[in-house]
Amino acid sequence: MAMLGAFANAQMTMLEEQGFGNLCQGNEKVAKLHFYLQDVLGGLNATVWEVARSEITSTSPTSFGQVRVIDDLITAEPDSTSVKLGRAQGLITYADLENSGLTMNINFVFTAGIYNESTVCLLGRNPMSQQNRELAVVGGTGVFRMARGYAISNTYSFDPVTNYGVLEYTVYVAYVESGFGPLASH
């Protein structure tokens, strides 16, 4: 691959080179992933925690400037006792002065099934009051190395008394299948 320097050539295995070549030639697979996040906003087992806030967060109607870190369980069905697929980990920032809008940087870390040890990375704006919120797939690891695509997010349910929400995600992702990455056998 002429575009790679000597250092990069020394670091890249034959399988990785083949996979990168496939990407450059458009040899991609596509997948539709559908799952649920168990979003626990309070209590002893909270999975969402505030880590920073601005001077105006407490008086802002949109919580502008608040930053939270998440580590939500990913399940196959809306029920928290359904098959566990992995974790959703990352940052959410309240970044809109006028509407309830988040800026999100989330990694779906799969720990079961054919995508075990792979990740899909999302980035974008999440206007919480809307249906079918779209976020960009900007990469991934393992099976999904150099992934691209988009995700549709919806609030499946939310209980304000327990501060427990279930979020539904449908992810459309394109990735290179052949010999690219440590999980090429998947």
Side-chain angles (χ1 to χ4, degrees), residues 5 23-24 35 37 46 48 57 87 93-94 98 141 151 159 162 173:
L23 176 66
C24 295
F35 48 81
L37 304 188
V48 179
T57 300
R87 306 295 295 186
T93 304
Y94 292 76
E98 297 179 7
T141 63
D159 182 343
T162 61
V173 60

Side-chain angles (χ1 to χ4, degrees), residues 4-149:
L4 298 175
F7 179 75
N9 277 334
Q11 299 298 313
M12 186 176 276
T13 68
M14 289 296 284
L15 288 176
E16 288 173 323
E17 187 172 327
Q18 176 187 356
F20 191 74
N22 282 340
L23 176 66
C24 295
Q25 295 171 18
N27 297 332
E28 293 176 294
K29 301 268 301 173
V30 294
K32 176 183 175 184
L33 311 174
H34 185 253
F35 48 81
Y36 298 85
L37 304 188
Q38 307 298 320
D39 203 38
V40 187
L41 298 166
L44 295 175
N45 297 314
T47 61
V48 179
W49 289 90
E50 181 179 310
V51 293
R53 61 179 32 230
S54 71
E55 290 181 27
I56 68 167
T57 300
S58 60
T59 59
S60 169
T62 63
S63 297
F64 182 80
Q66 184 181 70
V67 179
R68 292 181 175 183
V69 63
I70 73 162
D71 186 10
D72 288 348
L73 177 64
I74 301 173
T75 58
E77 300 297 329
D79 188 323
S80 64
T81 62
S82 72
V83 175
K84 293 169 180 45
L85 302 175
R87 306 295 295 186
Q89 300 171 330
L91 293 172
I92 57 174
T93 304
Y94 292 76
D96 192 322
L97 284 166
E98 297 179 7
N99 300 298
S100 184
L102 305 174
T103 296
M104 299 180 67
N105 173 0
I106 304 295
N107 295 296
F108 295 135
V109 181
F110 297 103
T111 58
I114 62 172
Y115 304 125
N116 185 32
E117 297 184 14
S118 296
T119 67
V120 171
C121 306
L122 299 184
L123 185 65
R125 184 174 188 279
N126 189 339
M128 294 302 292
S129 62
Q130 296 180 7
Q131 290 279 14
N132 298 318
R133 304 177 297 264
E134 186 173 326
L135 295 160
V137 170
V138 297
T141 63
V143 170
F144 298 117
R145 188 181 288 179
M146 295 184 72
R148 61 192 174 101

Side-chain angles (χ1 to χ4, degrees), residues 138-181:
V138 297
T141 63
V143 170
F144 298 117
R145 188 181 288 179
M146 295 184 72
R148 61 192 174 101
Y150 64 98
I152 303 296
S153 172
N154 281 294
T155 302
Y156 181 84
S157 65
F158 181 73
D159 182 343
V161 173
T162 61
N163 256 343
Y164 191 94
V166 178
L167 306 172
E168 180 178 24
Y169 275 84
T170 305
V171 181
Y172 299 90
V173 60
Y175 60 97
V176 175
E177 178 189 40
S178 177
F180 199 44

